[in-house]
């Protein structure tokens, strides 16, 4: 769905057997600004993605969310309550209850993708990313932001396409996220 500002949009992508066979496929993506005092999530998303703060939600897929401006809060069972600051990544995992929202006094700017597939599950099995480490501030947020924007710009131009090229762009973003996560863990362990 396109919104008034060309920067702001979200699309839910068609997923066919070919896309699932690639091992990684996107189901949705978006970019937007949530103004101060606006309800969250904004209306218009499919019911699977809507949630009320009091109940939270559990998804059947992964999501990567980058908050670049504003503040908020995230909560999941593995992380507990975490404060969200500018330039924070949030990783959502299938089957893990969570909830998040921008601070009503600041709102926030976000980029996000929803994805699934055997390859993503294998990465989770390797514990390169884990639900307990779902919130962190990457050391090179510009690199993550640029990869997000390349992927999101492609989706915005071709909202009905879910091609292998799109999956490869998503893999590029996931690779950068995992690389920066592993660097953070290595530094914390003194490796």
């Amino acid at each position: 769905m396109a919104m008034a500002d060309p920067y702001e949009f979200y699309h839910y992508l068609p997923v066919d057997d070919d896309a699932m066979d690639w091992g990684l496929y996107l189901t949705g993506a978006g970019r937007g600004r949530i103004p101060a005092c606006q309800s969250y999530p904004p209306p218009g998303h499919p019911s699977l993605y809507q949630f009320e703060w009091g109940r939270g939600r559990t998804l059947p897929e992964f999501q990567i969310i980058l908050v670049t401006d504003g503040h908020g809060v995230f909560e999941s069972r593995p992380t507990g309550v975490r404060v969200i600051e500018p330039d924070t990544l949030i990783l959502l995992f299938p089957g893990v209850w969570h909830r998040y929202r921008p601070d009503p006094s600041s709102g926030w700017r976000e980029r996000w993708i929803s994805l699934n597939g055997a390859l993503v599950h294998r990465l989770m099995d390797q514990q390169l990313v884990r639900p307990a480490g779902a919130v962190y501030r990457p050391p090179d947020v510009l690199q993550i932001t640029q990869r997000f924007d390349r992927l999101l710009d492609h989706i915005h131009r071709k909202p009905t396409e879910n091609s292998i090229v799109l999956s490869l762009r998503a893999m590029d973003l996931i690779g950068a996220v995992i690389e920066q996560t592993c660097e953070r863990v290595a530094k914390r362990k003194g490796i």
Side-chain angles (χ1 to χ4, degrees), residues 27-49:
T27 58
R31 180 172 50 198
R33 179 189 313 263
I34 309 304
C37 299
Q38 180 176 313
S39 64
Y40 191 85
H45 293 274
S47 61
L48 171 67
Y49 300 99

Side-chain angles (χ1 to χ4, degrees), residues 20 28-29 34 55 72 80-81 91 105 107 120 123 125 131 142 162 170-171 176 182 185:
M20 287 193 277
I34 309 304
R55 287 192 318 221
V81 177
L91 307 176
S105 67
V120 187
L123 290 170
D125 291 344
L142 181 59
N162 202 352
M171 285 176 58
C182 291
V185 170

Side-chain angles (χ1 to χ4, degrees), residues 16-93:
D16 58 21
D17 290 341
D18 287 339
M20 287 193 277
D21 287 344
W22 298 321
L24 185 155
Y25 55 91
L26 278 93
T27 58
R31 180 172 50 198
R33 179 189 313 263
I34 309 304
C37 299
Q38 180 176 313
S39 64
Y40 191 85
H45 293 274
S47 61
L48 171 67
Y49 300 99
Q50 290 292 341
F51 66 95
E52 293 176 17
W53 177 257
R55 287 192 318 221
R57 70 174 176 192
T58 302
L59 293 173
E61 61 196 4
F62 297 88
Q63 283 192 352
I64 302 173
I65 304 157
L66 176 63
V67 175
T68 53
D69 295 305
H71 295 83
V73 65
F74 173 85
E75 181 179 5
S76 72
R77 290 191 175 100
T79 64
V81 177
R82 299 286 306 273
V83 173
I84 303 300
E85 298 176 343
D87 300 336
T88 297
L89 273 169
I90 303 170
L91 307 176
L92 303 180
F93 296 83

Side-chain angles (χ1 to χ4, degrees), residues 7 65-72 82-90 107-111 134-146 148 180 184:
Y7 176 86
I65 304 157
L66 176 63
V67 175
T68 53
D69 295 305
H71 295 83
R82 299 286 306 273
V83 173
I84 303 300
E85 298 176 343
D87 300 336
T88 297
L89 273 169
I90 303 170
W108 71 26
R109 184 180 293 263
E110 65 182 10
R111 293 162 174 82
V135 177
Y136 75 98
R137 295 182 73 200
D140 188 353
V141 73
L142 181 59
Q143 179 189 61
I144 301 291
T145 303
Q146 289 171 339
F148 245 117
Q180 291 195 32
R184 176 185 63 142

Side-chain angles (χ1 to χ4, degrees), residues 117-180:
L119 178 60
V120 187
H121 285 274
R122 276 187 242 134
L123 290 170
M124 186 175 162
D125 291 344
Q126 296 296 315
Q127 296 196 1
L128 296 171
V129 291
R130 298 175 330 190
V135 177
Y136 75 98
R137 295 182 73 200
D140 188 353
V141 73
L142 181 59
Q143 179 189 61
I144 301 291
T145 303
Q146 289 171 339
R147 283 177 164 80
F148 245 117
D149 284 342
R150 278 195 298 269
L151 175 60
L152 294 172
D153 289 345
H154 183 93
I155 291 168
H156 193 51
R157 283 191 310 274
K158 300 177 181 183
T160 60
E161 176 187 290
N162 202 352
S163 67
I164 190 134
V165 170
L166 198 58
S167 294
L168 292 170
R169 288 178 189 257
M171 285 176 58
D172 179 53
L173 172 60
I174 292 166
V177 167
I178 289 173
E179 177 182 32
Q180 291 195 32

Side-chain angles (χ1 to χ4, degrees), residues 93-104:
F93 296 83
V96 176
W97 177 89
H98 63 273
R99 61 186 179 176
Y100 59 96
R101 65 181 174 192
D103 184 310

